[in-house]
Amino acid sequence: MSLAGTVPRAGAGRVIWSVGYVHGLSHLYMLALPPLFPLLSRDLGASLAGLAGILGAFNLITAATQYLAGVAVDRFGGLRCLRIGLALSLLSLALAALAPGFWTLAGAFALCGLANAVYHPGDFQLLNSRVPAARRPFALSVHNFAGNVGFALAPALLAPVGFTLGWRAALGLAVILGLPGLLALFLLPGDAPQPRPGRRAPGQRTGLAEVAGPAVLLQLLIFTLFSLVSGGVQSFSVLAGAGHFGYGLSDLNRILALYLLVGTTGIVLGGTLLQRGWSETTAFASGIVLAMAGWGLAWSGLGGLQGYSAGMLVIGFAMGFILPARDVIVARMTPPHLQGRIYGFVTTGINIGQFGAPVLVAPMVQGGHTGLYYAFLMAALVASLLAGLSSRTARPKVQTKGHP
């Protein structure tokens, strides 16, 4: 399938910015708890391990239900599912803000993890079905840009509010920020009738087997590896830099903030180049190679703290640059009637990577094996490059006959 495989409807700009805002909310909600850990530990008597367990359960629930959310998107439409998902997110956060104890908080965020499952399949189905093909690289750039902003707002906004007014006020603010997004979704025109598959060929696979062909499994691997690297850098580069090189924590935290900031610049440039005709596979491979160079410079110790800073800025830019190309690769291979299911399936890799990063990386850093930490993430980048290059020849084994 090409990017022109669906018929856009009116109001593409409204769809792009509405979906972008909602995607930013979903990322804000994914990281709403960690900046508040010290306050929650003090007020609820919870251990850091217990609070981390809430976060792990959130990601596991999302990963376990995201494909089913994709099935619902294909059946009922992305917009309808996004409305329900965001409403459920706001309800769960409101319950969390009122939680009298640890287990109530855990239950509320389990519900939030369930709601989180709908965002990626719903977002992508809506963008691919309502945005003209020529504008989709831009739409995917806005989508990723908003996600980065959401991640950045968790510590930048919720933490100051939490430490000033309390963690309940911070979670209440997260609910308030979601209300304009919910309103924007309800102001969009309703879903068009969803595409239906053509007549099935004898022996054609159905259900999950129809989706999980080699090409789609390859994209699942790419999403998982990319998320593993992203989670490993964001969560553990400060501790690893301090342990491996002896750099100061305040310097390393500032560098990490800049790493996140330049990622948004990479997203904009990556989307712009795709809009101007760059091959998505070329853009993806170029970004991975640049990320490997940046990570290698940071790992090498060349130039001291300045060299480390330069390397982190390079990989931060590259990690953003890759995102639009990664998403366009999936868009080009996805038939209209399988958009929700395929996006629900491959973006499960995000949650697998986010869950796997602390499980795999934390023991390396905490055990003082920081050299192994740098080598492990470099190996994940190399594997991502090989998988991305393989996507040039891989073809999705899904039946597209009978589709526009």
Side-chain angles (χ1 to χ4, degrees):
M1 174 198 171
S2 72
L3 283 174
T6 52
V7 179
R9 303 177 69 197
R14 287 173 55 199
V15 172
I16 291 170
W17 295 107
S18 297
V19 170
Y21 186 84
V22 171
H23 186 230
L25 289 172
S26 73
H27 280 227
L28 173 65
Y29 297 160
M30 287 172 68
L31 290 186
L33 274 191
L36 307 176
F37 275 180
L39 301 173
L40 292 164
S41 180
R42 181 195 67 196
D43 293 352
L44 300 181
S47 67
L48 289 179
L51 293 170
I54 293 178
L55 207 58
F58 176 103
N59 280 293
L60 281 177
I61 291 169
T62 298
T65 57
Q66 197 157 242
Y67 174 75
L68 296 176
V71 173
V73 165
D74 286 335
R75 175 66 180 87
F76 302 108
L79 180 59
R80 186 178 302 173
C81 292
L82 283 175
R83 289 168 176 171
I84 295 171
L86 181 54
L88 191 59
S89 290
L90 300 185
L91 173 62
S92 64
L93 287 168
L95 292 174
L98 300 172
F102 172 84
W103 289 110
T104 310
L105 182 73
F109 266 85
L111 186 63
C112 198
L114 178 63
N116 187 58
V118 79
Y119 290 114
H120 282 123
D123 287 352
F124 286 118
Q125 191 276 339
L126 206 54
L127 292 175
N128 286 335
S129 62
R130 299 205 186 186
V131 176
R135 296 190 67 188
R136 277 180 216 157
F138 171 75
L140 294 172
S141 297
V142 171
H143 185 259
N144 284 299
F145 182 91
N148 271 27
V149 171
F151 274 152
L153 282 179
L157 182 61
L158 298 188
V161 171
F163 280 91
T164 303
L165 301 175
W167 61 269
R168 297 183 190 277
L171 292 178
L173 176 61
V175 174
I176 292 171
L177 290 173
L179 295 176
L182 190 60
L183 177 62
L185 291 179
F186 274 97
L187 290 177
L188 291 176
D191 287 303
Q194 298 307 299
R196 291 289 180 262
R199 182 174 298 175
R200 296 190 180 277
Q204 183 187 339
R205 295 177 175 182
T206 61
L208 184 59
E210 183 182 14
V211 169
V216 176
L217 289 173
L218 189 63
Q219 298 309 312
L220 173 65
L221 176 63
I222 289 172
F223 272 76
T224 301
L225 290 169
F226 189 87
S227 179
L228 182 64
V229 173
S230 178
V233 173
Q234 291 180 29
S235 300
F236 297 99
S237 63
V238 170
L239 293 176
H244 197 73
F245 300 107
Y247 300 147
L249 291 176
S250 59
D251 289 329
L252 290 167
N253 274 303
R254 281 195 293 269
I255 292 168
L256 181 60
L258 290 173
Y259 161 93
L260 295 170
L261 181 63
V262 298
T264 60
T265 306
I267 290 170
V268 172
L269 180 59
T272 300
L273 292 177
L274 291 175
Q275 193 89 11
R276 294 183 178 179
W278 263 46
S279 158
E280 61 273 13
T281 306
T282 300
F284 181 88
S286 300
I288 291 289
V289 170
L290 191 60
M292 291 166 59
W295 191 240
L297 177 58
W299 179 13
S300 71
L302 295 175
L305 183 62
Q306 289 73 26
Y308 177 88
S309 301
M312 289 294 289
L313 291 178
V314 170
I315 187 176
F317 174 86
M319 294 293 279
F321 182 87
I322 292 162
L323 289 173
R326 180 199 66 180
D327 294 345
V328 169
I329 289 172
V330 181
R332 287 196 184 278
M333 59 177 281
T334 304
H337 74 295
L338 292 178
Q339 286 186 30
R341 275 167 280 184
I342 286 181
Y343 277 109
F345 186 75
V346 300
T347 57
T348 298
I350 296 173
N351 302 97
I352 296 172
Q354 289 293 324
F355 180 78
V359 172
L360 297 172
V361 171
M364 301 177 194
V365 177
Q366 292 175 357
H369 307 296
T370 49
L372 181 59
Y373 159 79
Y374 287 104
F376 176 76
L377 293 188
M378 180 65 81
L381 286 171
V382 172
S384 298
L385 176 62
L386 295 175
L389 293 175
S390 298
S391 67
R392 287 181 172 179
T393 56
R395 292 291 184 270
K397 293 188 177 181
V398 292
Q399 176 74 4
T400 59
K401 184 178 179 180
H403 293 283

